[in-house]
Amino acid sequence: MPAPDQQLSAEQSRQVADTIREEIARRRMSRQSLAELAKLSLSTLEKVLGGRRPFTLATTVRLEQALGVSLRKAAEAPPAQAPAVNGEIAPDGLGAYSRRAVAWLEGTYVTVRPSFGEKDAIFAYRTEIGWDTAASSLVFRESERQDAAFTQFGEVAVPNQSRHIYLVTNRHGQHRLITVAHLAISGEMYGIITTLLAGRGSSLTPIAAPIAYLPIKMVAEATFGRISSDDPNHALYRQHLRRTTDESFALFLPG
């Protein structure tokens, strides 16, 4: 029998974290609530979900009991056999791109947009873009969001006749769309997000805002969450958000 403090591998930990984030988003629960149900400290939960600490068997079992789902089943499954290289082509609806042609997009980004709830504050989180063998396309997944219940993941469209990239979330017919332009040399992406703003009760209001994706190597000490003016990265994040509109990567017309 494995010891309770046995650590999962890096890949297993990543898969378990992905499953937990999906469950949190689906149930619209907070990380604090999950930590309390699993009898874990919020700090421990944040570290394992953020990849700063591997999952142990004991921690995984507690989270399984709290969520009522198996987290190890997916992590222990053998990896799917990769298709032949010439079969790594995205569907027509996403641009029919090859994996090799979009390899430059893969990576981790610091994502910034205006806060929807606090004037002059900036909302920052992590976005990972990578190739999904099963979907045969690029996919994106968000993490380190303060509002974990609204974490998004979905497909990436890269039409060959457009210089723009589309990050598309479609959950049961409810869409969120991010349209960005990519700077080939430095790697940033600037554009616009169109989504729904959660109000009181079940009220949802369409909202659009500028958004920027910064390769994580560009930010020496990245900070995430609601970034106020006293945060050391506020000026840098604000500079990139202003670039989105100052250089006309996105336009907002008056009504």
Side-chain angles (χ1 to χ4, degrees):
M1 180 178 295
D5 60 350
Q6 175 185 325
Q7 293 185 349
L8 276 60
S9 69
E11 178 61 21
Q12 289 174 328
S13 292
R14 185 189 66 77
Q15 292 177 2
V16 168
D18 286 348
T19 303
I20 291 172
R21 283 193 289 266
E22 289 178 16
E23 289 294 325
I24 287 174
R26 185 174 64 83
R27 302 173 192 216
R28 293 177 177 265
M29 69 188 302
S30 69
R31 294 190 180 189
Q32 179 66 58
S33 297
L34 176 56
E36 292 173 357
L37 287 172
K39 295 181 172 58
L40 297 170
S41 70
L42 180 59
S43 174
T44 295
L45 182 61
E46 293 284 3
K47 286 177 181 177
V48 292
L49 289 182
R52 299 189 297 275
R53 177 187 297 178
F55 281 86
T56 63
L57 181 59
T59 299
T60 306
V61 169
R62 287 188 180 188
L63 288 164
E64 286 178 332
Q65 293 172 341
L67 292 169
V69 298
S70 173
L71 299 173
R72 288 168 291 170
K73 183 176 180 181
E76 293 170 356
Q81 184 176 359
V85 172
N86 60 5
E88 294 182 334
I89 304 295
D92 287 347
L94 296 178
Y97 52 81
S98 70
R99 181 177 187 179
R100 179 178 298 178
V102 295
W104 47 270
L105 258 177
E106 296 189 67
T108 302
Y109 298 84
V110 178
T111 309
V112 295
R113 64 159 171 78
S115 168
F116 295 157
E118 181 179 333
K119 185 179 180 182
D120 297 326
I122 295 171
F123 197 65
Y125 50 92
R126 184 192 305 266
T127 300
E128 294 187 21
I129 297 178
W131 186 266
D132 185 291
T133 300
S136 191
S137 71
L138 286 176
V139 297
F140 74 93
R141 185 179 302 277
E142 299 171 351
S143 62
E144 302 288 348
R145 285 189 58 143
Q146 188 177 50
D147 56 347
F150 298 99
T151 296
Q152 303 286 328
F153 54 93
E155 301 171 316
V156 180
V158 189
N160 59 18
Q161 294 183 344
S162 170
R163 63 186 291 263
H164 289 90
I165 298 156
Y166 305 86
L167 285 74
V168 185
T169 297
N170 177 3
R171 294 290 170 268
H172 309 293
Q174 184 170 296
H175 285 67
R176 185 192 73 166
L177 176 64
I178 298 172
T179 306
V180 290
H182 178 270
L183 301 186
I185 296 177
S186 50
E188 307 104 289
M189 296 189 288
Y190 300 97
I192 185 171
I193 175 175
T194 53
T195 186
L196 296 173
L197 173 65
R200 294 182 178 180
S202 59
S203 174
L204 295 172
T205 304
I207 190 170
I211 193 168
Y213 288 82
L214 316 177
I216 198 163
K217 64 183 179 182
M218 291 183 61
V219 187
E221 297 288 341
T223 47
F224 302 101
R226 186 171 282 111
I227 309 299
S228 301
S229 57
D230 58 352
D231 186 280
N233 284 317
H234 185 272
L236 174 64
Y237 291 170
R238 176 66 66 190
Q239 173 187 339
H240 283 284
L241 274 182
R242 286 177 174 166
R243 188 176 182 185
T244 300
T245 50
D246 289 349
E247 299 186 24
S248 298
F249 289 105
L251 299 176
F252 296 87
L253 300 180

